[in-house]
Amino acid sequence: MSTTDVEARRLRRDGQQWFFDWMIQETGKVFHFQTDGRGPLPKAVRRHSMISKHVGLGARRMEKIADEERAAGHDATALARYFDACTAYATAQHTIMRTNDEKRYLHGASIRCYDRVRELSPYHIGHLDIPWEDSVVSGNLHLCPGDEPKPLVFFIPGCDMTKEMYPHPQLNHAHQRGLHIFSFDGPGQGESNVRGIRLTADNYERAASAAITHLLARPEVDADQLVVFGISFGSFWALRVAAHDERVKAVAAPWASYCDKYHLMQEESPRYKQLFMYLTGAQDEDELDEIVEAMDMRDVVQRITCPTLEVTGEFDPRSPLEEVYELFDLLTCPAELWVFGDQHHKVSLTKPNSNTAAWQGDMNELALDWLKDRIDGRQLPDERLITYLPAGGSGPVGAEHSTRRRWYEDA
C-alpha cells in the first residue's frame, strides 16, 4: 500500500485531540502557543480538521482579488496579493497529513499563485528541478540583479513551511545585502511531499548537497561563497548540511530545533508528531520513534568546520537551554550563540513573541547580516562566544550584551 494515500495512522497523542481542538478554537493557533495575542486562524475554525477548508477559502478570495488587480494594471498590488494567496494555500495544505485530492488541490493552487508571483516579480525567480537519487527535488532561485557572480544563501525553511514562503519578492533581505538566495523544498517539504519523497534521519543533507552541486555550477553564483540559513526545524537541517558538505562557508541556525526530538514530539503541540508521521511515511508509531531518535545532533555538530551561528529563546519548549548549551559546547568550529531572554521559539529583537509571518521576522535580517559578515571575511571576536540578551536590552552587536549563560549569574 502506498504511503502517500493511506489514512493518517493513529498515535498515542491523538487522545489529546479534544483538548488540541479546544486550544485551536480559543487561540487561533496550532503551535507556538506562547506568542502574544490570537493566532492567524479564522474564527470559523473550531477544530484542526477545519483549517484546510477555511484557510483555503481565504486564499481563494485573495487569489481572486489578485486577478482583479492584475486585470486593472496594478501589478505591484497584484504581486503582493498573489504572494498572500500562495502562502495561505501552502498553510492550508500543510494541515492535511496525507497526500489526498484536497492536499493536491491546495498545494497546486499555491504553486499556481507563485507562478503569478514569478511573472510579476521585479527580478528573476527560477523554479529549479534537480535530479537526486531516484527522484527530483525542487527550489526557487531568487537571482540578485547584476552581471557579476554573487554569493549564494541556501535557505532551508521550517517543517511547516514551503519554499514559496520566503523570501518575499518585494522585501528580499538577501538581495538587500547583494546575495542570491535559493529556497529549498527538501524531503518532508512542499513538492517533495507531493512527490512521495519521505524524510529520513539523514537524507535531507544528501538532497541539499545535490542541489548545492547544481547551484554552484551556475555562472551567476560565486562558487566560493555559499552560506546556509535554516530557520525553525530548518535550523536542524542547516547544521546537518554544514556538517555534511565542506563547501558551506558559514551557517546560521536561528529558532533552535536541534535538541532531543523528544521535546518536540512529546511535550510540544500534538501537531508535530502527527506531521512527522506523515513526513516520514512511518508504518507505525514505533517506527516513527526510531526515526526521530536517530535525529541526534551530538556527533553531527562535531563535524562542522565552518563558522556557525545558533540562536535560541531562553524558554523555547522544543529546545531546553541546558541542551542547547551542551550541543554548543561540542562544536569545535568558530561559533556564536545568541540567547534571547524570556523568549520562546519565535525569537525576535523588535517583535518578541509575536505572530508575524516568517518572512517578516527581523531574525532573518540579523542572521543574514551575520552571514554577510562571514562572506566579507570578518572574523568572529571569539571562537566560543555566547551572548545572553536580556529582554528589553540591546541587540547582539550592541555594547550592552552579556556573556553570562543564565539569568541569575550577574545578580
Side-chain angles (χ1 to χ4, degrees):
M1 184 179 292
S2 169
T3 60
T4 58
D5 294 313
V6 295
E7 292 285 347
R9 294 172 176 82
R10 291 180 178 175
L11 303 168
R12 289 182 286 274
R13 294 201 70 188
D14 290 348
Q16 301 169 346
Q17 191 65 40
W18 68 273
F19 186 76
F20 185 33
D21 285 340
W22 181 82
M23 288 287 288
I24 289 169
Q25 175 181 325
E26 292 298 304
T27 69
K29 307 170 188 176
V30 293
F31 41 52
H32 307 326
F33 296 114
Q34 303 83 15
T35 55
D36 293 333
R38 183 176 173 83
L41 292 178
K43 285 274 193 176
V45 172
R46 297 176 180 274
R47 298 188 63 197
H48 188 277
S49 58
M50 298 177 70
I51 297 173
S52 58
K53 174 184 176 180
H54 287 276
V55 175
L57 288 172
R60 184 185 286 174
R61 175 177 178 270
M62 198 59 62
E63 182 182 9
K64 182 177 184 295
I65 292 172
D67 289 339
E68 294 167 349
E69 293 294 334
R70 189 177 191 184
H74 305 154
D75 285 355
T77 300
L79 188 159
R81 299 294 79 76
Y82 279 127
F83 186 84
D84 290 344
C86 166
T87 57
Y89 278 129
T91 298
Q93 66 84 35
H94 178 71
T95 65
I96 302 170
M97 308 301 180
R98 55 193 179 109
T99 311
N100 59 13
D101 289 343
E102 184 182 13
K103 190 175 189 75
R104 293 186 187 95
Y105 162 75
L106 290 167
H107 183 267
S110 179
I111 297 298
R112 178 179 66 243
C113 289
Y114 199 76
D115 285 343
R116 303 292 87 77
V117 169
R118 293 171 56 217
E119 291 169 4
L120 296 172
S121 172
Y123 58 83
H124 179 71
I125 305 174
H127 179 275
L128 306 184
D129 290 327
I130 300 163
W132 169 65
E133 296 183 357
D134 296 325
S135 189
V136 173
V137 288
S138 300
N140 294 322
L141 177 58
H142 300 247
L143 288 173
C144 187
D147 296 330
E148 71 283 358
K150 294 180 177 61
L152 174 69
V153 179
F154 191 99
F155 176 68
I156 301 178
C159 64
D160 51 1
M161 295 175 65
T162 68
K163 64 187 182 301
E164 288 72 37
M165 300 174 85
Y166 185 80
H168 196 302
Q170 291 172 318
L171 183 61
N172 190 314
H173 300 127
H175 285 190
Q176 291 171 349
R177 291 153 179 82
L179 311 172
H180 302 306
I181 184 167
F182 176 77
S183 190
F184 187 47
D185 266 352
Q189 294 168 317
E191 288 193 81
S192 291
N193 289 337
V194 175
R195 290 178 180 136
I197 300 173
R198 288 309 178 214
L199 177 68
T200 72
D202 62 359
N203 68 346
Y204 198 101
E205 53 264 39
R206 298 199 308 274
S209 280
I212 287 171
T213 297
H214 180 90
L215 291 162
L216 295 187
R218 295 181 64 102
E220 306 96 333
V221 175
D222 183 342
D224 294 322
Q225 296 287 8
L226 171 90
V227 295
V228 173
F229 171 32
I231 195 164
S232 194
F233 205 89
S235 69
F236 168 78
W237 289 317
L239 294 181
R240 293 192 67 94
V241 171
H244 178 77
D245 199 316
E246 63 184 11
R247 295 171 293 182
V248 177
K249 301 305 180 185
V251 57
W255 296 14
S257 295
Y258 24 81
C259 294
D260 188 335
K261 298 301 176 285
Y262 170 86
H263 306 292
L264 184 64
M265 298 296 153
Q266 303 296 344
E267 297 177 344
E268 262 273 41
S269 167
R271 163 77 166 268
Y272 289 109
K273 195 156 195 183
Q274 295 166 348
L275 173 63
F276 275 78
M277 193 75 177
Y278 165 63
L279 300 184
T280 62
Q283 297 300 302
D284 55 44
E285 190 163 3
D286 289 340
E287 181 184 353
L288 175 62
D289 289 342
E290 289 179 7
I291 293 171
V292 296
E293 185 176 357
M295 294 179 177
D296 190 332
M297 291 297 297
R298 286 170 292 186
D299 292 335
V300 173
V301 295
Q302 297 179 64
R303 300 200 299 270
I304 300 174
T305 59
C306 65
T308 298
L309 172 67
E310 296 182 359
V311 185
T312 191
E314 183 179 16
F315 296 104
D316 189 330
R318 69 174 67 176
S319 298
L321 193 55
E322 291 305 317
E323 289 190 29
V324 173
Y325 285 147
E326 288 172 11
L327 285 172
F328 184 77
D329 289 339
L330 290 174
L331 287 166
T332 58
C333 57
E336 190 167 1
L337 169 63
W338 301 342
V339 179
F340 282 72
D342 282 337
Q343 292 201 38
H344 305 282
H345 185 63
K346 298 180 69 174
V347 297
S348 169
L349 186 63
T350 59
K351 303 173 184 177
N353 303 325
S354 73
N355 287 308
T356 55
W359 66 266
Q360 295 173 307
D362 56 24
M363 187 49 57
N364 302 320
E365 299 169 276
L366 296 174
L368 287 169
D369 281 340
W370 188 93
L371 289 168
K372 182 65 162 53
D373 284 346
R374 307 290 81 77
I375 289 170
D376 291 343
R378 297 185 185 179
Q379 300 297 313
L380 291 178
D382 192 298
E383 289 191 354
R384 322 281 333 126
L385 179 62
I386 294 177
T387 301
Y388 180 92
L389 299 162
S394 63
V397 299
E400 301 175 18
H401 68 258
S402 170
T403 57
R404 63 185 175 182
R405 291 192 173 208
R406 297 162 184 87
W407 67 268
Y408 55 83
E409 288 180 347
D410 286 350

